[in-house]
Amino acid sequence: MNAARTLRERSEAEASRLPPLLARAEHLAGTVLLGDHGRRRSGLGDDFWQYRPAQIGDSRRMIDHRRSARGDQQYVREREWQIAQSIMLWVDQGASMRFASDKSLPTKADRARLLGLATAILLVRGGERVGLTGTTLPPRRGNAQIIRLAQALSEDTEADYAPPEHRAMIPHARAVFISDFLGPLDEVELALTKAADRGVRGVLLQVLDPGEENFPYRGRTIFESVGGTVRHETLKAGDLRERYLARLARRKDDLTRLCRVTGWQLGLNHTGDSAQAALLWLYRALDGGAR
């Protein structure tokens, strides 16, 4: 009895330390009803996959006599082979991601972490191995890995912009990079180039605040980076709008070009839009790109 109470207390204490992010990501993943992961091919396995007409070379024991008895054609019962694949995740934890233009909106960091962890949950449930880029958390399966990811993604860095991690890229794996991608582009280019050289394909998801897209600022405005390293005051913020929007458009064009050259896919999510729609796009982009 005492042992059971001690075990329960330890479990409750451990659960209380889990970041709230995990519960929210579990809920979001649960709203996306996608069925099987889609990487199904015939081979060795326990689950039924399909019937196909018998071919020359098939042994007699492969024939499914019950299905074949329905007509003149003989059929083979094929089983499923789930190919577990490694997916590496990078979520920008730089200070620039902690921006929200309105109190009613989540920060970019909050949205990026939520989508990253929810994607990992769906992939792990599909039998995949998921981890972080770099060497701190290699891809693994299981619920314990989800907890490790939740803990790692709940941390912040002090720098305004956190460059994508490109060490220890697993050859022919898949990757997901989630960021505002407003920092130095050369680091992103280096990471995707190294990934492409190793046969790694993946998805860039750019997360932006609505205020960053439409630049609604007018009159006297003080612009300051979240990390406090950059500060600019102007009396005519509206005069900056056209130049700002042009630079943002160039950055999106650069990201599009980079993804086209390296074989990656580019998506965009605004923090004022649905997280569920973004998760569905991420999951399908990964699945479709793997075939």
Side-chain angles (χ1 to χ4, degrees), residues 52-63 74-78:
R52 66 163 174 82
Q55 302 171 354
I56 297 176
D58 291 334
S59 65
R60 283 186 169 275
R61 63 182 180 182
M62 294 175 64
I63 304 298
Q74 289 188 318
Y75 286 89
V76 168
R77 180 186 179 94
E78 290 190 321

Side-chain angles (χ1 to χ4, degrees), residues 37-191:
H37 191 264
R39 291 177 174 86
R40 297 167 58 132
R41 302 176 188 175
S42 60
L44 299 177
D46 296 327
D47 297 327
F48 169 73
W49 185 44
Q50 67 175 5
Y51 290 112
R52 66 163 174 82
Q55 302 171 354
I56 297 176
D58 291 334
S59 65
R60 283 186 169 275
R61 63 182 180 182
M62 294 175 64
I63 304 298
D64 188 284
H65 298 286
R66 180 174 297 179
R67 174 63 181 85
S68 300
R70 300 178 190 173
D72 298 330
Q73 177 74 51
Q74 289 188 318
Y75 286 89
V76 168
R77 180 186 179 94
E78 290 190 321
R79 298 186 182 276
E80 179 184 333
W81 178 24
Q82 293 280 23
I83 302 179
Q85 187 170 327
S86 293
I87 292 94
M88 295 173 293
L89 183 66
W90 174 72
V91 176
D92 190 343
Q93 294 167 282
S96 73
M97 296 294 289
R98 300 196 288 275
F99 172 74
S101 62
D102 190 278
K103 291 182 179 180
S104 64
L105 295 171
T107 65
K108 293 183 290 183
D110 182 81
R111 176 58 59 86
R113 290 165 173 166
L114 179 64
L115 290 174
L117 187 58
T119 300
I121 290 170
L122 289 175
L123 291 169
V124 167
R125 287 177 179 173
E128 310 288 21
R129 297 184 295 264
V130 183
L132 297 179
T133 55
T135 59
T136 57
L137 190 57
R140 296 189 181 94
R141 300 186 187 91
N143 290 331
Q145 181 73 345
I146 294 298
I147 294 173
R148 297 185 195 103
L149 287 167
Q151 292 169 336
L153 293 179
S154 296
E155 300 173 358
D156 289 321
T157 59
E158 295 303 318
D160 278 333
Y161 301 105
E165 175 64 78
H166 51 72
R167 293 175 299 167
M169 284 282 186
I170 301 173
H172 307 295
R174 311 262 319 147
V176 180
F177 286 8
I178 307 177
S179 170
D180 58 11
F181 296 108
L182 297 180
L185 190 62
D186 56 345
E187 293 288 347
V188 180
E189 190 165 0
L190 175 62

